[in-house]
Amino acid sequence: MSLGRNLQFLRKMHDGMTQEELAEKMAVSRQTISKWELDTACPEMDKLIELCQIFSCTLDQLIREDMAASGEMYSHMRIEDVDQFRYLRYAVISADPEGDAIQHIKRWAAACGVEEPELIGWDFPHVSQEQINVYHMHGYAAAWILPPDFDLPGKSAEIIVQNRQRYAALTVKDPFKAPFSVIPNAYKTLMSYMQMNGLQLKYEKEVLTCFERVYSQNGIEYMDVYIAVK
């Protein structure tokens, strides 16, 4: 049983809920919550059902699955207001769309005299099943966040403006060690965080619904994942 670890994880996901706050919702003492999380006591069935209602999970997930294990690689779940920015976008459908799109944007920036452009990216969904199943192709869009007051030489591309927008976000450590599981699970974890905190996805033409930003600190690679919320 992973009840104790799951409760700690779910509190963290639920906007950092404290033991005292959960105890108040459950009409029990903080010491009782502590015992549940230490697995020295188990809630009665009615309390288990109440916990499932609070955290929007199933009873099987709460007491049998190790929900915390999938979340240990993700940290700093938060709501973040992203200021207005301007960007250039390049989308491609290929066998290596992420690499192709990023390299194209980097060459674009270098031609404009910027050797280390700030990049973001997201999956490009307009791919047919034939392209996926037969040709093993996928889509990806990469974007160059333009520096403030940067003037693009000539009229070679459309500059897109993203207005100030609120996002749910989290940070992933070493995202490319197992990218085909770690990155999709990051989105699932973030969607769970949104659901637990009553946040709805914002889907509008003028807004980037989701995007990723990769960077390095002290020799370690990180990825911030963002999903737009209302």
Side-chain angles (χ1 to χ4, degrees):
M1 181 180 292
S2 303
L3 175 65
R5 275 168 54 85
N6 285 343
L7 280 180
Q8 293 178 54
F9 173 68
L10 289 167
R11 282 198 299 104
K12 176 183 175 183
M13 290 278 286
H14 205 287
D15 204 21
M17 179 188 291
T18 65
Q19 286 186 341
E20 289 83 358
E21 289 169 337
L22 180 56
E24 184 176 351
K25 286 179 177 290
M26 297 290 297
V28 298
S29 68
R30 186 202 63 79
Q31 289 78 9
T32 296
I33 301 296
S34 179
K35 289 179 181 178
W36 292 349
E37 292 189 354
L38 292 171
D39 288 322
T40 58
C42 184
E44 298 292 334
M45 180 57 67
D46 62 329
K47 293 298 184 186
L48 286 171
I49 293 173
E50 191 173 350
L51 286 167
C52 291
Q53 293 172 339
I54 291 172
F55 294 121
S56 302
C57 65
T58 67
L59 187 60
D60 195 59
Q61 288 174 322
L62 181 62
I63 65 177
R64 295 192 180 202
E65 293 184 13
D66 191 354
M67 302 172 75
S70 63
E72 287 176 348
M73 65 191 71
Y74 312 119
S75 63
H76 193 27
M77 283 172 278
R78 61 201 184 271
I79 303 301
E80 183 177 328
D81 289 318
V82 177
D83 289 334
Q84 183 187 85
F85 61 88
R86 302 176 306 143
Y87 65 95
L88 298 179
R89 175 186 60 198
Y90 181 77
V92 63
I93 297 172
S94 72
D96 180 22
E98 185 171 355
D100 293 342
I102 289 174
Q103 289 305 313
H104 184 93
I105 286 288
K106 285 184 175 180
R107 289 194 297 268
W108 210 348
C112 296
V114 178
E115 295 299 329
E116 295 185 4
E118 181 182 355
L119 302 181
I120 60 173
W122 58 93
D123 286 338
F124 183 70
H126 306 294
V127 183
S128 71
Q129 285 302 310
E130 181 181 15
Q131 288 172 313
I132 296 172
N133 298 332
V134 178
Y135 300 104
H136 307 292
M137 301 173 75
H138 299 274
Y140 192 81
W144 169 24
I145 306 300
L146 299 175
D149 302 322
F150 180 83
D151 291 325
L152 187 67
K155 302 250 183 214
S156 57
E158 176 190 7
I159 296 178
I160 304 169
V161 177
Q162 162 87 11
N163 290 324
R164 183 179 175 88
Q165 172 60 43
R166 176 161 292 187
Y167 285 87
L170 60 71
T171 300
V172 188
K173 182 180 179 181
D174 292 325
F176 299 112
K177 283 189 173 180
F180 296 109
S181 60
V182 171
I183 297 174
N185 282 335
Y187 281 96
K188 291 179 182 178
T189 300
L190 196 50
M191 291 295 287
S192 296
Y193 171 80
M194 290 166 57
Q195 180 181 5
M196 290 178 191
N197 291 283
L199 300 168
Q200 293 184 327
L201 173 69
K202 185 172 183 177
Y203 187 79
E204 294 182 1
K205 183 178 180 181
E206 298 79 12
V207 173
L208 288 176
T209 303
C210 61
F211 65 89
E212 306 150 8
R213 182 175 70 92
V214 177
Y215 56 96
S216 296
Q217 287 183 351
N218 300 320
I220 300 175
E221 200 161 33
Y222 295 90
M223 174 186 285
D224 287 342
V225 175
Y226 293 85
I227 298 179
V229 297
K230 294 182 180 179

